[in-house]
Amino acid sequence: MSFNKRIAFISVHGDPAIDIGKEEAGGQNVYVRQVGEALAKQGWQVDMFTRKADATQPAIVEHSPNCRTIRLVAGPETFIPRDKLFSYLPEFVEQLRSFQRDNNIQYSLVHTNYWLSAWVGMELKKYQPIQQIHTYHSLGAVKYQSVSDIPPIATTRLEVEKACLETAARIVATSPQEQDHMRQLMSQKGNIDIIPCGTDIERFGAVSSSEARLKLGIPRSSLVVLYVGRFDQRKGIETLVRAMGHSIFPGLADIRLIIVGGSRPGQSDGIERERIEAIVDELGLRDYTTFPGQIDHETLPYYYAAANLCVVPSHYEPFGLVAIEAMAAGTPVVASGVGGLQFTVVHEKTGLLCPPKDDKAFAQAIDSILSKPTWQAKLGKSARKRVETLFSWDGVAQQLSNLYLSLVDVPTAKPTVNISLKQVSA
Ligand code: UDP
């Protein structure tokens, strides 16, 4: 196989070119886009394939020289929840191959993201000599442990995830905890490397707390507790709100709870936001809670920098970009001690870890940081340092680039897996 530095990223449901923070648009979109752009700077030609989910979207978006998003038509050009996308994947594969044919493009490598794209990558390997690298972003084997309504697609997802682990040239786990889960719950076979997610350390570290508060109209004396992320029950916003109900600070100080994230009335994120607002009202927290909606990455650094602490109360988090974004801004993080958060947040060094869903423990952790400004500053400083050392996108992309280069000399393994659409339960 002649080697070229062309790589295809596949992110079927996570469009790297759209607004993040909306339903189903979050860390994966950010990861693919940032890694793609950083790799292009390092000399790779990066094509990022996603499904077109809106007829008005352009088919191709150029992000920078050598890095573009390509939207393929697979199924109706409307939003389809990820659990309903599997049956459109053969069309996605067909469209991708025809794009390659029309433009005479061969890829040496395909980096797939999430299990749907894993299937696409495994299919592509049947038709061309291509090495597959995969990042899960979420593991069915972990997710279904904590979910009561298991969707019909679960069996297929678990099979695809296991097959991908066992046959991809390399799996990228974003934390040691994710690697452990793969080994304990999925398979002993397959090659795993640990390369974390990253963040834009310049962008998120560019603003001082006083500048940020000036811009957002928050007095210097106020205490600010921040949440950033999607409105989804598994994100545990309820735990944070209930923790604020236990906090000793309302009444003692000008405290503010800011809950950042997009939502659309009537959709699942809009419904979750209404549920959260009802809890805010029930606990009498309305006066000091604000919902500024979806905030983009231009403005988010001001929120992180203005906050005394950022809370990530997720029930589970494979990695959790929000934690490292806050840390890059020098803001300590109070997080659930789950998944990748146990790797990014170092307990009592860069923030505090609490048992998930334990609102009393979160209240204690929040209050202990708010009541000790010197300790807060110390935690924030160490947080920034940890992110600089481990989690810059350029550093992450460099590690990925080294991984890709180590693979391109290796002969492509013959695909051995065949998971067909017939296996999907209705
Ligand atoms: N995000 C954003 N604006 C918002 C809410 C979230 O830009 O209003 C971004 C956030 O900055 C982060 C991503 O969405 O980069 C969320 O990633 P994370 O890994 O924390 O969670 P996921 O959404 O993947 O579960």
Side-chain angles (χ1 to χ4, degrees):
M1 178 179 76
S2 71
F3 164 61
N4 61 38
K5 262 184 125 179
R6 252 184 203 283
I7 182 162
F9 268 69
I10 316 272
S11 179
V12 175
H13 81 281
D15 183 336
I18 61 153
D19 289 347
I20 40 180
K22 291 206 184 120
E23 185 179 36
E24 295 206 348
Q28 181 175 325
N29 309 58
V30 174
Y31 176 91
V32 175
R33 168 81 173 268
Q34 296 292 336
V35 164
E37 288 196 33
L39 285 168
K41 279 197 277 172
Q42 295 180 16
W44 290 86
Q45 267 183 288
V46 185
D47 284 344
M48 309 188 288
F49 292 93
T50 192
R51 195 187 76 86
K52 199 167 178 215
D54 179 342
T56 62
Q57 288 171 334
I60 297 188
V61 180
E62 303 273 352
H63 300 292
S64 61
N66 294 335
C67 178
R68 58 185 175 171
T69 292
I70 298 154
R71 295 186 171 116
L72 304 175
V73 176
E77 292 177 50
T78 52
F79 172 76
I80 299 174
R82 54 185 113 171
D83 280 350
K84 302 267 186 287
L85 279 175
F86 189 68
S87 58
Y88 301 110
L89 296 184
E91 196 181 345
F92 190 95
V93 172
E94 221 12 80
Q95 290 297 317
L96 204 163
R97 293 179 63 215
S98 105
F99 178 89
Q100 286 185 272
R101 274 194 301 274
D102 295 348
N103 295 280
N104 195 19
I105 295 178
Q106 288 298 322
Y107 299 104
S108 308
L109 301 156
V110 59
H111 188 148
T112 52
N113 294 271
Y114 195 64
W115 76 271
L116 295 164
S117 310
W119 188 88
V120 171
M122 292 193 291
E123 283 297 296
L124 287 177
K125 286 200 298 185
K126 292 180 184 167
Y127 302 105
Q128 48 194 287
I130 195 167
Q131 302 268 2
Q132 182 177 15
I133 301 96
H134 182 70
T135 305
Y136 283 94
H137 296 276
S138 155
L139 296 173
V142 174
K143 181 177 171 178
Y144 298 138
Q145 282 181 334
S146 62
V147 175
S148 49
D149 53 333
I150 294 182
I153 197 69
T155 315
T156 310
R157 172 174 179 175
L158 294 173
E159 276 176 23
V160 172
E161 289 188 337
K162 182 166 186 280
C164 181
L165 171 56
E166 293 181 344
T167 60
R170 204 61 58 94
I171 298 295
V172 174
T174 54
S175 66
Q177 288 74 15
E178 196 187 13
Q179 180 185 36
D180 291 347
H181 277 135
M182 289 174 201
R183 288 296 182 229
Q184 285 158 14
L185 304 172
M186 292 160 67
S187 177
Q188 293 300 318
K189 293 192 203 132
N191 305 310
I192 306 174
D193 274 21
I194 299 172
I195 301 179
C197 288
T199 192
D200 185 337
I201 59 169
E202 271 88 47
R203 180 190 290 274
F204 286 107
V207 189
S208 71
S209 165
S210 43
E211 256 177 284
R213 288 187 173 214
L214 199 64
K215 177 165 166 100
L216 299 176
I218 300 171
R220 293 184 81 143
S221 57
S222 303
L223 297 175
V224 178
V225 175
L226 177 70
Y227 168 86
V228 175
R230 291 178 293 115
F231 279 93
D232 181 319
Q233 280 207 22
R234 284 166 305 201
K235 288 287 179 185
I237 309 173
E238 174 172 356
T239 307
L240 166 60
V241 172
R242 294 202 180 278
M244 295 308 286
H246 299 304
S247 166
I248 56 162
F249 282 98
L252 279 186
D254 172 28
I255 189 161
R256 297 172 187 221
L257 169 62
I258 305 180
I259 299 179
V260 171
S263 61
R264 295 158 301 170
Q267 309 272 5
S268 68
D269 46 14
I271 294 165
E272 174 63 359
R273 174 167 164 171
E274 272 180 30
R275 198 181 71 84
I276 295 297
E277 290 205 50
I279 300 170
V280 165
D281 288 336
E282 169 203 314
L283 298 176
L285 309 176
R286 178 58 75 171
D287 285 350
Y288 66 89
T289 306
T290 49
F291 294 86
Q294 189 200 342
I295 305 288
D296 63 23
H297 276 195
E298 293 296 311
T299 313
L300 259 182
Y302 291 92
Y303 282 84
Y304 286 124
N308 292 76
L309 54 92
C310 180
V311 181
V312 186
S314 313
H315 301 168
Y316 180 71
E317 201 65 73
F319 186 80
L321 284 177
V322 164
I324 57 169
E325 290 167 4
M327 288 164 67
T331 301
V333 174
V334 173
S336 303
V338 294
L341 294 169
Q342 301 164 89
F343 170 52
T344 50
V345 179
V346 183
H347 188 62
E348 295 185 335
K349 188 144 187 264
T350 70
L352 292 172
L353 292 171
C354 303
K357 302 185 193 171
D358 186 339
D359 42 62
K360 293 215 172 97
F362 271 87
Q364 241 176 28
I366 292 167
D367 284 358
S368 72
I369 295 180
L370 291 182
S371 55
K372 292 178 217 132
T374 322
W375 191 43
Q376 179 201 309
K378 201 171 160 207
L379 292 171
K381 236 181 172 167
S382 314
R384 168 75 197 175
K385 196 136 187 257
R386 182 162 177 80
V387 172
E388 279 172 7
T389 318
L390 291 174
F391 305 121
S392 79
W393 279 128
D394 288 337
V396 169
Q398 186 62 59
Q399 291 178 65
L400 285 171
S401 182
N402 293 343
L403 164 63
Y404 301 152
L405 292 171
S406 75
L407 291 176
V408 282
D409 288 337
V410 181
T412 311
K414 273 252 175 289
T416 51
V417 213
N418 212 341
I419 295 171
S420 75
L421 292 175
K422 286 190 212 98
Q423 287 171 261
V424 189
S425 356

